[in-house]
Amino acid sequence: MVAGAIETRLKRMAYGAASTAKVGWYTAFYVAGRHMVGPMTKPGEVPRPSRTPVPDMKEMRSAFFRLFQDEWADIEAGRYVMPKDLRHPPRPSKIIRDAQAYLKEAREVSRRANRQGGGVEVRDIAEDDLPTYYKQNFHFQSDGWLSEESAQVYDTQVEVLFTGSASAMRRRGLALIMDEVRRLEDEGRHRSGVHLADVACGTGRLLSDIVDNVPELQITAVDLSEPYLDEARKAAVKATNTEFVRAAAEDLPLTDGNLDILTTVYLFHELPPKVRREVAAEIARTLKPGGLYVHVDSVQYGDTGMDLMLESFPRAFHEPYYDSYCHEPLSELFGEVGLRPENQMIGFLTKATSFRKA
């Protein structure tokens, strides 16, 4: 018993040290990036009036640190293993390469943010088979979702934006996924017979965590960007039974009623309202009766005391559909297609919600 307590304490210390180092590193780059991009209100401009109150900084800090406390509680309880990004320090060469790429891209983001039409530059080079809404420089990033360079710098951009908390926020969804895998096991299902689809998987950050915990699952990883799918393949290198498919979330090339679990991460706030309903219908169509959908995305208005951050975000980072998403009643959106809310977790600025198909 004593040995076990010591092991747990050492593990907790390792988690704390790795998380603190990660937060410190990305916070430094956040400060550097903000210096490059400059103030959100340009000189001479009058700031737009806000609809929402200024957040309580004490509450904001508390929510940030509570995210890591909740994650440690899940690890300690055996809900999922210590994450790879905290078990293994990154190679120094990769740290330097990622830092250089981020700082270079920060200058381009600043240029684009201060240029009329800078959020839609990519439309001139986008392929014809892409949806119109997809042909944008979301977050003012170079090439939108359409190049290897964009895919390689994206994760650093997101971690910098959320000062090292992005992966921990995504893993609120991992906790719900692992609960469902264990529930299916209790019903006599073997993990190798459980089929999960990660739709709009991006660079595969959550996919990598899923594979790290349950490599036996049958997994279909779907994304509309081939360069991002390539990064997902690298991230999920331990996957033994994973198929990677290029497709739009609103037109999934998947069989009706074949999935036990489907997850999306930070997808719905990038979609126009009409397309959100098309994607919700596809999720319901592909899930088995009783299957689980795990929805991971931004918190919405009223979820926390930080609504001003939600109001400011689309102005600063070219998120054309974000504000409407923050007003979207999720229980109605998914209820229209037969999905009922089951569990919910909030981790700082991310909300993970599970929905069960009747």
Side-chain angles (χ1 to χ4, degrees), residues 16-287:
S19 297
T20 300
K22 184 176 182 180
V23 167
W25 174 256
Y26 286 113
T27 298
F29 277 90
Y30 178 87
V31 173
R34 288 306 314 159
H35 178 73
M36 287 182 178
V37 172
M40 294 182 185
T41 302
K42 301 176 184 63
E45 286 186 351
V46 178
R48 295 183 186 181
S50 298
R51 306 186 305 267
T52 51
V54 175
D56 183 306
M57 294 306 295
K58 184 177 179 181
E59 178 185 349
M60 186 173 167
R61 285 193 296 270
S62 176
F64 181 82
F65 290 114
R66 188 164 57 248
L67 166 69
F68 296 99
Q69 293 166 358
D70 290 345
E71 170 153 90
W72 166 249
D74 284 340
I75 295 168
E76 185 177 28
R79 211 168 186 180
Y80 53 82
V81 301
M82 180 83 82
K84 284 193 302 183
D85 61 332
L86 302 179
R87 291 200 311 262
H88 308 297
R91 300 186 308 276
S93 60
K94 185 177 187 306
I95 290 177
I96 294 170
R97 185 171 64 250
D98 290 349
Q100 291 172 334
Y102 170 76
L103 292 173
K104 177 183 177 183
E105 176 63 5
R107 295 184 182 94
E108 287 299 306
V109 167
S110 178
R111 176 190 66 78
R112 205 168 281 113
N114 288 286
R115 176 182 173 275
Q116 187 71 26
V120 293
E121 287 182 2
V122 78
R123 287 184 177 174
D124 295 333
I125 62 169
E127 299 169 27
D128 292 337
D129 66 340
L130 294 172
T132 300
Y133 71 84
Y134 199 78
K135 301 176 183 181
Q136 303 194 54
N137 300 71
F138 287 97
H139 323 136
F140 292 116
Q141 66 191 39
S142 299
D143 305 323
W145 312 115
L146 307 179
S147 72
E148 292 181 13
E149 292 77 13
S150 168
Q152 289 166 1
V153 76
Y154 175 75
D155 289 317
T156 302
Q157 289 176 304
V158 176
E159 286 292 358
V160 170
L161 178 62
F162 295 109
T163 57
S165 67
S167 292
M169 290 195 294
R170 284 191 198 97
R171 286 192 288 264
R172 295 300 77 210
L174 178 64
L176 297 175
I177 292 166
M178 292 304 299
D179 288 350
E180 181 67 2
V181 170
R182 292 191 176 92
R183 188 191 72 81
L184 292 171
E185 285 184 307
D186 290 343
E187 291 184 353
R189 299 279 300 280
H190 191 274
R191 290 180 172 187
S192 62
V194 174
H195 192 177
L196 177 147
D198 186 13
V199 174
C201 67
T203 60
R205 294 300 100 188
L206 181 63
L207 176 64
S208 175
D209 286 322
I210 294 169
V211 170
D212 193 39
N213 282 270
V214 277
E216 311 94 331
L217 294 187
Q218 296 181 51
I219 298 175
T220 303
V222 181
D223 202 90
L224 194 48
S225 169
E226 194 61 52
Y228 278 69
L229 276 176
D230 287 341
E231 289 299 308
R233 290 184 182 95
K234 298 173 190 175
V237 67
K238 283 176 59 178
T240 57
N241 194 13
T242 299
E243 179 185 15
F244 293 86
V245 178
R246 181 179 178 269
E250 61 268 35
D251 188 20
L252 295 173
L254 303 176
T255 307
D256 292 5
N258 192 45
L259 297 173
D260 296 289
I261 306 169
L262 187 150
T263 185
T264 65
V265 182
Y266 300 142
L267 167 65
F268 273 75
H269 78 258
E270 308 283 25
L271 300 174
K274 177 177 180 293
V275 180
R276 284 181 209 138
R277 279 144 186 81
E278 294 172 0
V279 175
E282 283 291 88
I283 291 169
R285 177 184 67 80
T286 55
L287 279 172

Side-chain angles (χ1 to χ4, degrees), residues 5-7 74 89 101 103 126 138 141 151 185 282 291 296 298 304-305 323-324 339 341 350 353:
I6 293 173
E7 182 181 357
D74 284 340
L103 292 173
F138 287 97
Q141 66 191 39
E185 285 184 307
E282 283 291 88
V296 182
S298 168
T304 71
D323 191 68
S324 71
L339 302 176
T350 290
T353 313

